[in-house]
């Protein structure tokens, strides 16, 4: 039982850190995209897309900087979500609802990426990259959920046998 709790905590710690880092990457987007372009072939479709995003970002920054406030809120949302998962880290059984919330959010990434991506003109490859975050998140949270359910069942059985 202690081993399962340790695994749950390790997976949740990784998930919390990944959410935090993901949010932090929304802030220095100009630097990140410029750095990434240095390592891509200029004739590749990925280079063309990232260059287009960078040009768009810089144009918005020059002409409509208030729109970039959305990046700040994106980062903030990731930080808040990371904090939310401290609850199940501290008490997995009591806070299993947070894991269920996270799983629902991971599933909802897929329709958002495909629907919004289509209407915003995001290339399908990039939409799939966005979807991979939902898949990766669910790949971490699903086993956590199952282990917590197992712990919950064992603790309920222990209570029933002691009565």
């Amino acid at each position: 039982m202690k081993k399962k709790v340790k695994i749950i905590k390790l997976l949740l710690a990784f998930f919390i850190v990944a959410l935090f880092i993901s949010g932090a990457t929304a802030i220095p987007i100009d630097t990140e995209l410029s750095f990434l372009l240095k390592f891509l072939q200029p004739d590749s479709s990925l280079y063309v897309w990232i260059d287009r995003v960078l040009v768009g970002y810089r144009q918005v920054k020059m002409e409509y900087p208030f729109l970039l406030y959305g990046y700040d809120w994106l980062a903030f949302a990731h930080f808040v979500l990371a904090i939310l998962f401290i609850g199940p880290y501290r008490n997995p059984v009591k806070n299993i609802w947070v894991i269920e919330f996270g799983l629902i959010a991971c599933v909802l990434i897929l329709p958002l990426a495909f629907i919004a991506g289509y209407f915003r003109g995001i290339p399908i490859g990039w939409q799939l990259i966005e979807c991979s975050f939902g898949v990766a998140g669910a790949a971490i949270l699903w086993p956590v959920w199952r282990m917590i359910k197992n712990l919950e069942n064992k603790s309920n059985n222990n209570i029933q046998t002691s009565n």
Side-chain angles (χ1 to χ4, degrees):
M1 198 147 129
K2 287 185 179 187
K3 185 178 179 182
K4 277 192 181 162
V5 172
K6 187 175 183 176
I7 293 169
I8 288 168
K9 287 187 174 205
L10 282 171
L11 289 170
L12 286 174
F14 175 78
F15 193 77
I16 289 166
V17 169
L19 270 173
F20 186 84
I21 290 170
S22 182
T25 63
I27 298 168
I29 195 78
D30 191 303
T31 304
E32 293 168 341
L33 294 176
S34 298
F35 178 78
L36 190 56
L37 285 174
K38 292 178 184 177
F39 297 97
L40 298 173
Q41 297 295 325
D43 59 344
S44 72
S45 59
L46 184 57
Y47 181 97
V48 171
W49 171 248
I50 291 176
D51 186 56
R52 181 174 180 208
V53 171
L54 181 57
V55 168
Y57 172 84
R58 287 177 175 165
Q59 185 174 352
V60 167
K61 184 178 177 182
M62 295 272 300
E63 296 179 33
Y64 312 102
F66 55 88
L67 290 177
L68 299 180
Y69 194 47
Y71 277 96
D72 302 330
W73 281 107
L74 174 66
F76 178 75
H78 279 80
F79 299 152
V80 169
L81 290 170
I83 292 167
L84 178 69
F85 283 89
I86 294 172
Y89 180 88
R90 292 174 65 194
N91 188 332
V93 173
K94 183 178 177 183
N95 294 296
I96 192 169
W97 69 271
V98 176
I99 305 303
E100 293 166 345
F101 165 83
L103 283 165
I104 292 166
C106 287
V107 169
L108 291 176
I109 287 172
L110 281 71
L112 177 66
F114 288 125
I115 294 167
Y118 173 80
F119 286 108
R120 301 286 187 209
I122 308 299
I124 189 71
W126 204 259
Q127 292 175 37
L128 292 172
I129 289 170
E130 295 294 340
C131 289
S132 72
F133 289 100
V135 172
I140 294 168
L141 294 178
W142 179 252
V144 168
W145 182 84
R146 289 182 56 202
M147 285 185 274
I148 293 171
K149 279 302 213 184
N150 190 283
L151 287 175
E152 185 180 55
N153 290 338
K154 283 184 181 179
S155 66
N156 285 342
N157 288 341
N158 289 342
I159 292 169
Q160 288 174 356
T161 56
S162 65
N163 287 333

